[in-house]
């Protein structure tokens, strides 16, 4: 299981962020849940470590991110991969936000 994200640098700047600030904040959040960062270049990527809580932790954090306007404004792509399933998190965001409103 993994998630890959890319960001729009101009949008980040418009929100007062830099890529380094966002990457470091996201790495801290994922690492606190025991998920490992596997790439922090153009694509920011996190993977599970085989723990039984990995799925719930990753999905929970992705839902939290989708509820934040800055994330939707600044993220160019966010793809979740699990057991052959590919989910475009940004396309699912309106549905998730409506469900939790």
């Amino acid at each position: 299981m993994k998630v890959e994200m890319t960001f729009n640098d101009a949008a980040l700047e418009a929100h007062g962020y830099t890529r380094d600030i966002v990457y470091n904040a996201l790495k801290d959040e994922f690492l606190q849940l025991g998920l490992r960062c596997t790439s922090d270049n153009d694509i920011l990527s996190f993977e599970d470590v085989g723990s039984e809580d990995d799925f719930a932790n990753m999905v929970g954090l992705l839902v939290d991110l989708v509820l934040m306007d800055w994330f939707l404004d600044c993220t160019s792509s966010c793809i979740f991969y699990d057991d052959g399933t590919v989910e475009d998190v940004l396309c699912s965001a309106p549905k998730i936000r409506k469900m939790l409103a």
Side-chain angles (χ1 to χ4, degrees):
M1 169 181 49
K2 72 177 176 177
V3 63
E4 295 179 341
M5 302 175 219
T6 60
F7 293 88
N8 178 315
D9 289 331
L12 288 172
E13 186 177 317
H15 279 268
Y17 303 125
T18 65
R19 185 185 291 209
D20 285 342
I21 289 170
V22 169
Y23 276 26
N24 287 332
L26 289 173
K27 284 193 267 188
D28 286 347
E29 291 298 319
F30 278 90
L31 292 173
Q32 283 179 16
L33 296 173
L35 301 164
R36 63 188 167 121
C37 180
T38 54
S39 173
D40 64 357
N41 297 308
D42 289 336
I43 297 174
L44 182 60
S45 179
F46 298 94
E47 292 185 12
D48 69 287
V49 294
S51 169
E52 65 182 47
D53 296 329
D54 287 348
F55 181 83
N57 287 337
M58 189 174 288
V59 170
L61 185 49
L62 289 172
V63 168
D64 289 345
L65 290 170
V66 162
L67 295 176
M68 296 181 199
D69 292 334
W70 76 265
F71 184 79
L72 296 181
D73 292 344
C74 299
T75 308
S76 300
S77 67
C78 183
I79 308 297
F80 176 71
Y81 303 88
D82 183 43
D83 289 334
T85 302
V86 178
E87 180 75 28
D88 185 329
V89 175
L90 298 181
C91 285
S92 301
K95 201 177 354 175
I96 294 167
R97 289 176 77 131
K98 183 177 181 181
M99 227 176 11
L100 297 174

